[in-house]
PDB file of all heavy atoms in Angstrom:
ATOM      1  N   VAL A  98       0.854  -1.186  -0.002  1.00  0.00           N
ATOM      2  CA  VAL A  98      -0.003   0.006   0.004  1.00  0.00           C
ATOM      3  C   VAL A  98       0.878   1.232  -0.002  1.00  0.00           C
ATOM      4  O   VAL A  98       1.630   1.501   0.961  1.00  0.00           O
ATOM      5  CB  VAL A  98      -0.930   0.014   1.233  1.00  0.00           C
ATOM      6  CG1 VAL A  98      -1.804   1.270   1.178  1.00  0.00           C
ATOM      7  CG2 VAL A  98      -1.811  -1.226   1.254  1.00  0.00           C
ATOM      8  N   GLU A  99       0.789   2.032  -1.085  1.00  0.00           N
ATOM      9  CA  GLU A  99       1.577   3.248  -1.177  1.00  0.00           C
ATOM     10  C   GLU A  99       0.798   4.432  -0.587  1.00  0.00           C
ATOM     11  O   GLU A  99      -0.431   4.419  -0.557  1.00  0.00           O
ATOM     12  CB  GLU A  99       1.883   3.591  -2.639  1.00  0.00           C
ATOM     13  CG  GLU A  99       2.657   2.551  -3.403  1.00  0.00           C
ATOM     14  CD  GLU A  99       1.773   1.717  -4.284  1.00  0.00           C
ATOM     15  OE1 GLU A  99       0.578   1.620  -3.966  1.00  0.00           O
ATOM     16  OE2 GLU A  99       2.272   1.163  -5.266  1.00  0.00           O
ATOM     17  N   SER A 100       1.532   5.445  -0.176  1.00  0.00           N
ATOM     18  CA  SER A 100       0.938   6.698   0.296  1.00  0.00           C
ATOM     19  C   SER A 100       1.948   7.814   0.137  1.00  0.00           C
ATOM     20  O   SER A 100       3.153   7.546  -0.094  1.00  0.00           O
ATOM     21  CB  SER A 100       0.520   6.577   1.745  1.00  0.00           C
ATOM     22  OG  SER A 100       1.625   6.320   2.586  1.00  0.00           O
ATOM     23  N   GLY A 101       1.482   9.053   0.254  1.00  0.00           N
ATOM     24  CA  GLY A 101       2.389  10.177   0.222  1.00  0.00           C
ATOM     25  C   GLY A 101       2.402  11.016  -1.068  1.00  0.00           C
ATOM     26  O   GLY A 101       3.085  12.017  -1.120  1.00  0.00           O
ATOM     27  N   GLY A 102       1.646  10.572  -2.030  1.00  0.00           N
ATOM     28  CA  GLY A 102       1.598  11.356  -3.268  1.00  0.00           C
ATOM     29  C   GLY A 102       0.847  12.659  -3.093  1.00  0.00           C
ATOM     30  O   GLY A 102       0.229  12.901  -2.040  1.00  0.00           O
ATOM     31  N   GLY A 103       0.885  13.528  -4.106  1.00  0.00           N
ATOM     32  CA  GLY A 103       0.170  14.761  -4.044  1.00  0.00           C
ATOM     33  C   GLY A 103       0.570  15.705  -5.150  1.00  0.00           C
ATOM     34  O   GLY A 103       1.278  15.325  -6.084  1.00  0.00           O
ATOM     35  N   LEU A 104       0.080  16.934  -5.030  1.00  0.00           N
ATOM     36  CA  LEU A 104       0.355  17.999  -5.985  1.00  0.00           C
ATOM     37  C   LEU A 104       1.350  18.959  -5.369  1.00  0.00           C
ATOM     38  O   LEU A 104       1.111  19.505  -4.290  1.00  0.00           O
ATOM     39  CB  LEU A 104      -0.954  18.740  -6.340  1.00  0.00           C
ATOM     40  CG  LEU A 104      -0.805  20.005  -7.190  1.00  0.00           C
ATOM     41  CD1 LEU A 104      -0.242  19.681  -8.545  1.00  0.00           C
ATOM     42  CD2 LEU A 104      -2.171  20.692  -7.319  1.00  0.00           C
ATOM     43  N   VAL A 105       2.482  19.160  -6.044  1.00  0.00           N
ATOM     44  CA  VAL A 105       3.513  20.063  -5.552  1.00  0.00           C
ATOM     45  C   VAL A 105       4.008  20.913  -6.698  1.00  0.00           C
ATOM     46  O   VAL A 105       3.692  20.677  -7.864  1.00  0.00           O
ATOM     47  CB  VAL A 105       4.711  19.295  -4.924  1.00  0.00           C
ATOM     48  CG1 VAL A 105       4.248  18.509  -3.714  1.00  0.00           C
ATOM     49  CG2 VAL A 105       5.368  18.390  -5.954  1.00  0.00           C
ATOM     50  N   GLN A 106       4.813  21.909  -6.353  1.00  0.00           N
ATOM     51  CA  GLN A 106       5.430  22.767  -7.372  1.00  0.00           C
ATOM     52  C   GLN A 106       6.838  22.272  -7.695  1.00  0.00           C
ATOM     53  O   GLN A 106       7.468  21.588  -6.906  1.00  0.00           O
ATOM     54  CB  GLN A 106       5.483  24.205  -6.874  1.00  0.00           C
ATOM     55  CG  GLN A 106       4.085  24.852  -6.733  1.00  0.00           C
ATOM     56  CD  GLN A 106       4.196  26.314  -6.385  1.00  0.00           C
ATOM     57  OE1 GLN A 106       5.155  26.763  -5.791  1.00  0.00           O
ATOM     58  NE2 GLN A 106       3.150  27.071  -6.771  1.00  0.00           N
ATOM     59  N   ALA A 107       7.304  22.669  -8.853  1.00  0.00           N
ATOM     60  CA  ALA A 107       8.659  22.305  -9.262  1.00  0.00           C
ATOM     61  C   ALA A 107       9.644  22.794  -8.204  1.00  0.00           C
ATOM     62  O   ALA A 107       9.528  23.915  -7.690  1.00  0.00           O
ATOM     63  CB  ALA A 107       8.984  22.924 -10.619  1.00  0.00           C
ATOM     64  N   GLY A 108      10.597  21.920  -7.846  1.00  0.00           N
ATOM     65  CA  GLY A 108      11.575  22.249  -6.849  1.00  0.00           C
ATOM     66  C   GLY A 108      11.214  21.743  -5.453  1.00  0.00           C
ATOM     67  O   GLY A 108      12.087  21.735  -4.573  1.00  0.00           O
ATOM     68  N   ASP A 109       9.977  21.379  -5.252  1.00  0.00           N
ATOM     69  CA  ASP A 109       9.530  20.891  -3.958  1.00  0.00           C
ATOM     70  C   ASP A 109       9.977  19.436  -3.747  1.00  0.00           C
ATOM     71  O   ASP A 109      10.539  18.799  -4.637  1.00  0.00           O
ATOM     72  CB  ASP A 109       7.996  20.980  -3.865  1.00  0.00           C
ATOM     73  CG  ASP A 109       7.518  22.389  -3.635  1.00  0.00           C
ATOM     74  OD1 ASP A 109       8.383  23.297  -3.390  1.00  0.00           O
ATOM     75  OD2 ASP A 109       6.289  22.632  -3.706  1.00  0.00           O
ATOM     76  N   SER A 110       9.667  18.940  -2.542  1.00  0.00           N
ATOM     77  CA  SER A 110       9.987  17.565  -2.166  1.00  0.00           C
ATOM     78  C   SER A 110       8.737  16.810  -1.729  1.00  0.00           C
ATOM     79  O   SER A 110       7.765  17.413  -1.289  1.00  0.00           O
ATOM     80  CB  SER A 110      10.992  17.557  -1.014  1.00  0.00           C
ATOM     81  OG  SER A 110      12.211  18.155  -1.379  1.00  0.00           O
ATOM     82  N   LEU A 111       8.805  15.511  -1.896  1.00  0.00           N
ATOM     83  CA  LEU A 111       7.740  14.602  -1.415  1.00  0.00           C
ATOM     84  C   LEU A 111       8.422  13.316  -0.947  1.00  0.00           C
ATOM     85  O   LEU A 111       9.471  12.959  -1.462  1.00  0.00           O
ATOM     86  CB  LEU A 111       6.751  14.226  -2.522  1.00  0.00           C
ATOM     87  CG  LEU A 111       5.547  15.105  -2.790  1.00  0.00           C
ATOM     88  CD1 LEU A 111       4.745  14.525  -3.970  1.00  0.00           C
ATOM     89  CD2 LEU A 111       4.651  15.253  -1.578  1.00  0.00           C
ATOM     90  N   ARG A 112       7.786  12.664   0.044  1.00  0.00           N
ATOM     91  CA  ARG A 112       8.267  11.353   0.427  1.00  0.00           C
ATOM     92  C   ARG A 112       7.139  10.357   0.314  1.00  0.00           C
ATOM     93  O   ARG A 112       6.089  10.501   0.934  1.00  0.00           O
ATOM     94  CB  ARG A 112       8.801  11.327   1.869  1.00  0.00           C
ATOM     95  CG  ARG A 112       9.492   9.997   2.192  1.00  0.00           C
ATOM     96  CD  ARG A 112      10.129   9.967   3.554  1.00  0.00           C
ATOM     97  NE  ARG A 112       9.184   9.672   4.627  1.00  0.00           N
ATOM     98  CZ  ARG A 112       9.521   9.106   5.784  1.00  0.00           C
ATOM     99  NH1 ARG A 112      10.776   8.782   6.018  1.00  0.00           N
ATOM    100  NH2 ARG A 112       8.623   8.890   6.715  1.00  0.00           N
ATOM    101  N   LEU A 113       7.363   9.356  -0.514  1.00  0.00           N
ATOM    102  CA  LEU A 113       6.404   8.276  -0.693  1.00  0.00           C
ATOM    103  C   LEU A 113       6.745   7.145   0.272  1.00  0.00           C
ATOM    104  O   LEU A 113       7.912   6.901   0.552  1.00  0.00           O
ATOM    105  CB  LEU A 113       6.436   7.749  -2.101  1.00  0.00           C
ATOM    106  CG  LEU A 113       6.207   8.766  -3.230  1.00  0.00           C
ATOM    107  CD1 LEU A 113       6.190   8.045  -4.603  1.00  0.00           C
ATOM    108  CD2 LEU A 113       4.942   9.569  -3.031  1.00  0.00           C
ATOM    109  N   SER A 114       5.710   6.481   0.764  1.00  0.00           N
ATOM    110  CA  SER A 114       5.854   5.328   1.633  1.00  0.00           C
ATOM    111  C   SER A 114       5.137   4.140   0.986  1.00  0.00           C
ATOM    112  O   SER A 114       4.119   4.314   0.313  1.00  0.00           O
ATOM    113  CB  SER A 114       5.290   5.592   3.013  1.00  0.00           C
ATOM    114  OG  SER A 114       5.956   6.659   3.645  1.00  0.00           O
ATOM    115  N   CYS A 115       5.634   2.948   1.297  1.00  0.00           N
ATOM    116  CA  CYS A 115       4.993   1.725   0.829  1.00  0.00           C
ATOM    117  C   CYS A 115       5.034   0.720   1.964  1.00  0.00           C
ATOM    118  O   CYS A 115       6.109   0.257   2.338  1.00  0.00           O
ATOM    119  CB  CYS A 115       5.704   1.179  -0.424  1.00  0.00           C
ATOM    120  SG  CYS A 115       5.093  -0.420  -0.956  1.00  0.00           S
ATOM    121  N   ALA A 116       3.870   0.446   2.520  1.00  0.00           N
ATOM    122  CA  ALA A 116       3.779  -0.514   3.635  1.00  0.00           C
ATOM    123  C   ALA A 116       3.472  -1.882   3.099  1.00  0.00           C
ATOM    124  O   ALA A 116       2.567  -2.051   2.246  1.00  0.00           O
ATOM    125  CB  ALA A 116       2.676  -0.067   4.574  1.00  0.00           C
ATOM    126  N   ALA A 117       4.231  -2.863   3.564  1.00  0.00           N
ATOM    127  CA  ALA A 117       4.080  -4.250   3.086  1.00  0.00           C
ATOM    128  C   ALA A 117       3.595  -5.168   4.170  1.00  0.00           C
ATOM    129  O   ALA A 117       3.904  -4.997   5.372  1.00  0.00           O
ATOM    130  CB  ALA A 117       5.441  -4.748   2.560  1.00  0.00           C
ATOM    131  N   SER A 118       2.807  -6.136   3.761  1.00  0.00           N
ATOM    132  CA  SER A 118       2.378  -7.183   4.698  1.00  0.00           C
ATOM    133  C   SER A 118       3.373  -8.330   4.655  1.00  0.00           C
ATOM    134  O   SER A 118       4.221  -8.396   3.765  1.00  0.00           O
ATOM    135  CB  SER A 118       0.998  -7.694   4.325  1.00  0.00           C
ATOM    136  OG  SER A 118       1.048  -8.336   3.045  1.00  0.00           O
ATOM    137  N   GLY A 119       3.262  -9.245   5.591  1.00  0.00           N
ATOM    138  CA  GLY A 119       4.118 -10.421   5.533  1.00  0.00           C
ATOM    139  C   GLY A 119       5.302 -10.322   6.481  1.00  0.00           C
ATOM    140  O   GLY A 119       5.830  -9.248   6.743  1.00  0.00           O
ATOM    141  N   ARG A 120       5.722 -11.470   6.958  1.00  0.00           N
ATOM    142  CA  ARG A 120       6.789 -11.499   7.957  1.00  0.00           C
ATOM    143  C   ARG A 120       8.187 -11.564   7.354  1.00  0.00           C
ATOM    144  O   ARG A 120       9.158 -11.418   8.038  1.00  0.00           O
ATOM    145  CB  ARG A 120       6.602 -12.735   8.854  1.00  0.00           C
ATOM    146  CG  ARG A 120       5.344 -12.682   9.717  1.00  0.00           C
ATOM    147  CD  ARG A 120       5.182 -13.979  10.501  1.00  0.00           C
ATOM    148  NE  ARG A 120       4.926 -15.090   9.600  1.00  0.00           N
ATOM    149  CZ  ARG A 120       4.860 -16.342  10.017  1.00  0.00           C
ATOM    150  NH1 ARG A 120       5.058 -16.648  11.298  1.00  0.00           N
ATOM    151  NH2 ARG A 120       4.600 -17.312   9.158  1.00  0.00           N
ATOM    152  N   THR A 121       8.249 -11.753   6.023  1.00  0.00           N
ATOM    153  CA  THR A 121       9.590 -11.928   5.413  1.00  0.00           C
ATOM    154  C   THR A 121       9.947 -10.740   4.529  1.00  0.00           C
ATOM    155  O   THR A 121      10.732 -10.891   3.609  1.00  0.00           O
ATOM    156  CB  THR A 121       9.626 -13.225   4.595  1.00  0.00           C
ATOM    157  OG1 THR A 121       8.567 -13.218   3.638  1.00  0.00           O
ATOM    158  CG2 THR A 121       9.503 -14.418   5.493  1.00  0.00           C
ATOM    159  N   PHE A 122       9.410  -9.571   4.837  1.00  0.00           N
ATOM    160  CA  PHE A 122       9.694  -8.355   4.065  1.00  0.00           C
ATOM    161  C   PHE A 122      11.191  -8.157   3.935  1.00  0.00           C
ATOM    162  O   PHE A 122      11.673  -7.717   2.890  1.00  0.00           O
ATOM    163  CB  PHE A 122       9.043  -7.162   4.744  1.00  0.00           C
ATOM    164  CG  PHE A 122       9.409  -5.836   4.149  1.00  0.00           C
ATOM    165  CD1 PHE A 122       8.792  -5.371   2.999  1.00  0.00           C
ATOM    166  CD2 PHE A 122      10.374  -5.026   4.740  1.00  0.00           C
ATOM    167  CE1 PHE A 122       9.122  -4.145   2.446  1.00  0.00           C
ATOM    168  CE2 PHE A 122      10.703  -3.793   4.211  1.00  0.00           C
ATOM    169  CZ  PHE A 122      10.081  -3.353   3.061  1.00  0.00           C
ATOM    170  N   SER A 123      11.943  -8.447   5.003  1.00  0.00           N
ATOM    171  CA  SER A 123      13.373  -8.176   5.002  1.00  0.00           C
ATOM    172  C   SER A 123      14.132  -9.053   4.020  1.00  0.00           C
ATOM    173  O   SER A 123      15.322  -8.839   3.804  1.00  0.00           O
ATOM    174  CB  SER A 123      13.940  -8.354   6.414  1.00  0.00           C
ATOM    175  OG  SER A 123      13.705  -9.670   6.868  1.00  0.00           O
ATOM    176  N   ASN A 124      13.470 -10.038   3.407  1.00  0.00           N
ATOM    177  CA  ASN A 124      14.128 -10.924   2.432  1.00  0.00           C
ATOM    178  C   ASN A 124      13.963 -10.436   0.994  1.00  0.00           C
ATOM    179  O   ASN A 124      14.530 -11.012   0.109  1.00  0.00           O
ATOM    180  CB  ASN A 124      13.545 -12.338   2.512  1.00  0.00           C
ATOM    181  CG  ASN A 124      13.765 -12.986   3.880  1.00  0.00           C
ATOM    182  OD1 ASN A 124      14.570 -12.493   4.669  1.00  0.00           O
ATOM    183  ND2 ASN A 124      13.069 -14.058   4.127  1.00  0.00           N
ATOM    184  N   TYR A 125      13.143  -9.396   0.789  1.00  0.00           N
ATOM    185  CA  TYR A 125      12.790  -9.020  -0.582  1.00  0.00           C
ATOM    186  C   TYR A 125      13.536  -7.822  -1.074  1.00  0.00           C
ATOM    187  O   TYR A 125      13.720  -6.811  -0.371  1.00  0.00           O
ATOM    188  CB  TYR A 125      11.288  -8.659  -0.662  1.00  0.00           C
ATOM    189  CG  TYR A 125      10.321  -9.624  -0.091  1.00  0.00           C
ATOM    190  CD1 TYR A 125       9.131  -9.166   0.464  1.00  0.00           C
ATOM    191  CD2 TYR A 125      10.572 -10.985  -0.072  1.00  0.00           C
ATOM    192  CE1 TYR A 125       8.213 -10.045   0.989  1.00  0.00           C
ATOM    193  CE2 TYR A 125       9.640 -11.873   0.483  1.00  0.00           C
ATOM    194  CZ  TYR A 125       8.472 -11.393   1.010  1.00  0.00           C
ATOM    195  OH  TYR A 125       7.566 -12.252   1.561  1.00  0.00           O
ATOM    196  N   VAL A 126      13.940  -7.872  -2.356  1.00  0.00           N
ATOM    197  CA  VAL A 126      14.323  -6.662  -3.053  1.00  0.00           C
ATOM    198  C   VAL A 126      13.039  -5.868  -3.335  1.00  0.00           C
ATOM    199  O   VAL A 126      12.026  -6.428  -3.696  1.00  0.00           O
ATOM    200  CB  VAL A 126      15.035  -7.004  -4.375  1.00  0.00           C
ATOM    201  CG1 VAL A 126      15.260  -5.774  -5.202  1.00  0.00           C
ATOM    202  CG2 VAL A 126      16.353  -7.715  -4.087  1.00  0.00           C
ATOM    203  N   MET A 127      13.110  -4.573  -3.111  1.00  0.00           N
ATOM    204  CA  MET A 127      11.977  -3.680  -3.331  1.00  0.00           C
ATOM    205  C   MET A 127      12.329  -2.651  -4.393  1.00  0.00           C
ATOM    206  O   MET A 127      13.517  -2.305  -4.555  1.00  0.00           O
ATOM    207  CB  MET A 127      11.556  -3.006  -2.055  1.00  0.00           C
ATOM    208  CG  MET A 127      11.118  -3.920  -0.933  1.00  0.00           C
ATOM    209  SD  MET A 127       9.574  -4.742  -1.268  1.00  0.00           S
ATOM    210  CE  MET A 127       8.442  -3.332  -1.352  1.00  0.00           C
ATOM    211  N   ALA A 128      11.329  -2.092  -5.022  1.00  0.00           N
ATOM    212  CA  ALA A 128      11.591  -1.100  -6.056  1.00  0.00           C
ATOM    213  C   ALA A 128      10.417  -0.155  -6.199  1.00  0.00           C
ATOM    214  O   ALA A 128       9.317  -0.416  -5.704  1.00  0.00           O
ATOM    215  CB  ALA A 128      11.835  -1.791  -7.390  1.00  0.00           C
ATOM    216  N   TRP A 129      10.702   0.955  -6.825  1.00  0.00           N
ATOM    217  CA  TRP A 129       9.683   1.935  -7.218  1.00  0.00           C
ATOM    218  C   TRP A 129       9.710   2.031  -8.752  1.00  0.00           C
ATOM    219  O   TRP A 129      10.806   2.117  -9.332  1.00  0.00           O
ATOM    220  CB  TRP A 129       9.941   3.319  -6.621  1.00  0.00           C
ATOM    221  CG  TRP A 129       9.656   3.371  -5.159  1.00  0.00           C
ATOM    222  CD1 TRP A 129      10.544   3.204  -4.116  1.00  0.00           C
ATOM    223  CD2 TRP A 129       8.420   3.668  -4.545  1.00  0.00           C
ATOM    224  NE1 TRP A 129       9.930   3.348  -2.916  1.00  0.00           N
ATOM    225  CE2 TRP A 129       8.620   3.636  -3.137  1.00  0.00           C
ATOM    226  CE3 TRP A 129       7.114   3.925  -5.030  1.00  0.00           C
ATOM    227  CZ2 TRP A 129       7.581   3.872  -2.231  1.00  0.00           C
ATOM    228  CZ3 TRP A 129       6.106   4.164  -4.120  1.00  0.00           C
ATOM    229  CH2 TRP A 129       6.321   4.132  -2.737  1.00  0.00           C
ATOM    230  N   PHE A 130       8.553   2.060  -9.354  1.00  0.00           N
ATOM    231  CA  PHE A 130       8.371   2.318 -10.774  1.00  0.00           C
ATOM    232  C   PHE A 130       7.396   3.479 -10.885  1.00  0.00           C
ATOM    233  O   PHE A 130       6.719   3.858  -9.945  1.00  0.00           O
ATOM    234  CB  PHE A 130       7.797   1.086 -11.491  1.00  0.00           C
ATOM    235  CG  PHE A 130       8.765  -0.062 -11.634  1.00  0.00           C
ATOM    236  CD1 PHE A 130       9.090  -0.858 -10.543  1.00  0.00           C
ATOM    237  CD2 PHE A 130       9.381  -0.326 -12.852  1.00  0.00           C
ATOM    238  CE1 PHE A 130       9.997  -1.909 -10.676  1.00  0.00           C
ATOM    239  CE2 PHE A 130      10.289  -1.362 -13.003  1.00  0.00           C
ATOM    240  CZ  PHE A 130      10.577  -2.155 -11.918  1.00  0.00           C
ATOM    241  N   ARG A 131       7.288   4.041 -12.079  1.00  0.00           N
ATOM    242  CA  ARG A 131       6.320   5.105 -12.309  1.00  0.00           C
ATOM    243  C   ARG A 131       5.763   5.030 -13.730  1.00  0.00           C
ATOM    244  O   ARG A 131       6.426   4.489 -14.624  1.00  0.00           O
ATOM    245  CB  ARG A 131       6.914   6.487 -12.052  1.00  0.00           C
ATOM    246  CG  ARG A 131       7.992   6.891 -13.059  1.00  0.00           C
ATOM    247  CD  ARG A 131       8.622   8.215 -12.617  1.00  0.00           C
ATOM    248  NE  ARG A 131       9.647   8.670 -13.554  1.00  0.00           N
ATOM    249  CZ  ARG A 131      10.417   9.751 -13.366  1.00  0.00           C
ATOM    250  NH1 ARG A 131      10.276  10.458 -12.263  1.00  0.00           N
ATOM    251  NH2 ARG A 131      11.281  10.074 -14.290  1.00  0.00           N
TER     252      ARG A 131
END
């Protein structure tokens, strides 16, 4: 589940988060695509 998106102006910052279920999250390679 992603969160943190929005409308910003050029030059601004945003931080996206992605919460994962499961007990073995630490075993996975993770990535962001757009």
Side-chain angles (χ1 to χ4, degrees):
V98 179
E99 301 100 335
S100 62
L104 171 63
V105 296
Q106 293 187 332
D109 285 351
S110 298
L111 273 178
R112 189 175 82 154
L113 305 183
S114 299
C115 173
S118 65
R120 294 176 294 174
T121 56
F122 173 80
S123 59
N124 298 346
Y125 309 149
V126 172
M127 299 291 296
W129 288 94
F130 288 77
R131 67 186 182 186

